Each structure stands twice: as C-alpha cells, then as structure tokens.
Amino acid sequence: RGLRQPERAAVVTLAMAAGPPPPVEPSPLPTFAEEGFGEKFLRKTRENPLVPLGCLCTVGVLAYGLISFRKGNTRRSQLMMRARVVAQGFTFAALLGGMVATAIKSRQ
C-alpha cells in the first residue's frame, strides 16, 4: 500500500503540471428567418397535406350533421356524428404518420 501512494501523487502532479484545460468556445446557434402564420401554415401543409384535408372533412361532416339535426333528421344526424368520429380518427392518424415520417427523416 505504501508503494501506491507515491504513484498516485505523481499522476496528480503531472496532471496539475499540464495546466488548466483550454477554454471551450461555444458553437454559434443557428439562425432562422422570421416566419409568419401564413408561411408556416403553407409549409406545414406542404409537409403533411393529409392533416388539413382531415380537418376539412371533419368540419364538413360536423356541419352537415348539425344541419341534419336542426332539420329534425335524426337518423342522418347520427350517421354524420359517427362519420365525424371516423374523420377525426383519420386526421389523428395522418398527424401521427407525419410526425413519424419527420422523425425518421431527421435521423437520416
């Protein structure tokens, strides 16, 4: 045990003799151009066109179902509410698919 102590001291002394490590300069952060709502909406629509399509289908089916309900056509109204759920499911699946595709593309 007495022999190992001087070796440790020598290692520490050598490390201290090398001096402090050089300062690490931070890498500059990337800059992005300002993007307004319209530009961002168009870019996102081009990246994943199925999400806005699903949203439009959902709103259309919902509107038609509410019109049918107001007119008293309960059978068509119920059918449209079920179709709305299907359209929402399609929209959600398109959203998840777009996220997965973006994640896979960013890894490559």
Side-chain angles (χ1 to χ4, degrees), residues 9 12 18 21 70 75 83 90 105:
V12 171
R70 190 165 179 101
R75 185 165 187 232
F90 172 78
K105 193 184 296 183

Side-chain angles (χ1 to χ4, degrees), residues 34-80:
E34 286 292 321
E35 187 176 40
F37 176 77
E39 293 95 12
K40 184 174 182 178
F41 180 77
L42 288 174
R43 179 176 56 86
K44 293 287 188 178
T45 301
R46 275 187 238 113
E47 288 174 4
N48 194 358
L50 294 178
V51 173
L53 181 66
C55 290
L56 287 174
C57 288
T58 302
V59 169
V61 169
L62 176 64
Y64 188 60
L66 290 174
I67 290 169
S68 297
F69 179 76
R70 190 165 179 101
K71 287 183 178 180
N73 191 347
T74 56
R75 185 165 187 232
R76 178 153 316 232
S77 173
Q78 284 297 311
L79 180 67
M80 290 297 109

